[in-house]
Amino acid sequence: TFNPVHNGHLQLAEGALIEGGLDSIMFIPAAHPPHKGESHLIAVQHRLRMLQLATSGYEYYSVSTLELDRLHPSYTIHTLNNLRDITDIDTAYHFIIGGDAFLEIETWFHWQEVLHTTNFMLAHRSGHAHDDVEILLGRNGFVPIGDDQKIWKHHQYGNVVRFLSCRIDDISSSDIRKW
């Protein structure tokens, strides 16, 4: 939701860009996040503007308004399908997310389709067990590739989940809102 955007978001993007060998990072603020109450949300036009300002000095970053005109909740599967409709068939997307938020994926709308058709890059958040993510991956058909277990691949669909090792400040948007 980028409620608000902070240095941790930018550090995660930079880490994913470098470690994952990505061409670019697209930030997509959710207008109506289904898992968060809207009473604590900064108005979407303000979150969008803050995100545009925060990413303006970065050559490989862009901000998308794809979800902002929706009247319904911002479901990830709809966004992924929209992206696939408007880009080249060979474009590979990677959903960049904190491991703590990834642990909630089984509660998402059409979560199995999201999990089985999308690549993920996960950042470790302090206070959240890495083992819990591995358990979730294992029960959903992912197996580790290599001894370091940084990359897990789905045995049937072939998409991957990569654990990022980049250093990210221990900060959250909810902590910022409390200050």
Side-chain angles (χ1 to χ4, degrees):
T1 55
F2 304 105
N3 187 40
V5 64
H6 55 72
N7 285 340
H9 292 122
L10 299 177
Q11 291 166 342
L12 176 54
E14 188 70 16
L17 194 70
I18 293 168
E19 288 183 47
L22 302 179
D23 295 328
S24 63
I25 303 284
M26 181 187 304
F27 293 81
I28 306 174
H32 307 286
H35 284 90
K36 300 184 182 211
E38 297 207 23
S39 63
H40 290 42
L41 277 180
I42 298 167
V44 70
Q45 65 271 20
H46 296 305
R47 289 185 286 123
L48 174 64
R49 186 65 185 133
M50 286 187 286
L51 194 52
Q52 290 168 332
L53 290 169
T55 60
S56 65
Y58 297 87
E59 179 181 355
Y60 301 105
Y61 295 175
S62 65
V63 177
S64 171
T65 59
L66 185 65
E67 292 194 1
L68 302 189
D69 294 329
R70 292 187 186 151
L71 300 177
H72 58 79
S74 300
Y75 293 121
T76 300
I77 192 61
H78 294 155
T79 301
L80 292 170
N81 289 335
N82 288 149
L83 288 170
R84 289 180 187 119
D85 288 345
I86 62 174
T87 56
D88 182 30
I89 195 165
D90 293 330
T91 301
Y93 288 101
H94 302 265
F95 192 109
I96 305 167
I97 188 171
D100 56 328
F102 184 79
L103 283 171
E104 298 174 2
I105 196 166
E106 292 173 320
T107 67
W108 295 9
F109 181 74
H110 289 252
W111 68 272
Q112 290 168 318
E113 186 178 355
V114 173
L115 187 61
H116 296 154
T117 62
T118 306
N119 298 304
F120 284 87
M121 292 189 178
L122 306 182
H124 177 72
R125 296 281 303 261
S126 65
H128 295 88
H130 181 85
D131 294 347
D132 291 342
V133 175
E134 291 181 351
I135 292 167
L136 184 150
L137 291 172
R139 78 170 166 256
N140 283 288
F142 287 85
V143 293
I145 298 174
D147 293 335
D148 63 1
Q149 297 189 346
K150 283 184 65 171
I151 299 175
W152 290 59
K153 186 174 184 177
H154 195 276
H155 68 84
Q156 180 179 356
Y157 299 105
N159 59 309
V160 297
V161 175
R162 174 190 296 263
F163 290 93
L164 298 172
S165 58
C166 56
R167 177 83 178 115
I168 299 168
D169 290 341
D170 187 19
I171 190 165
S172 71
S173 295
S174 57
D175 289 340
I176 292 171
R177 289 191 310 273
K178 289 177 189 175
W179 296 340

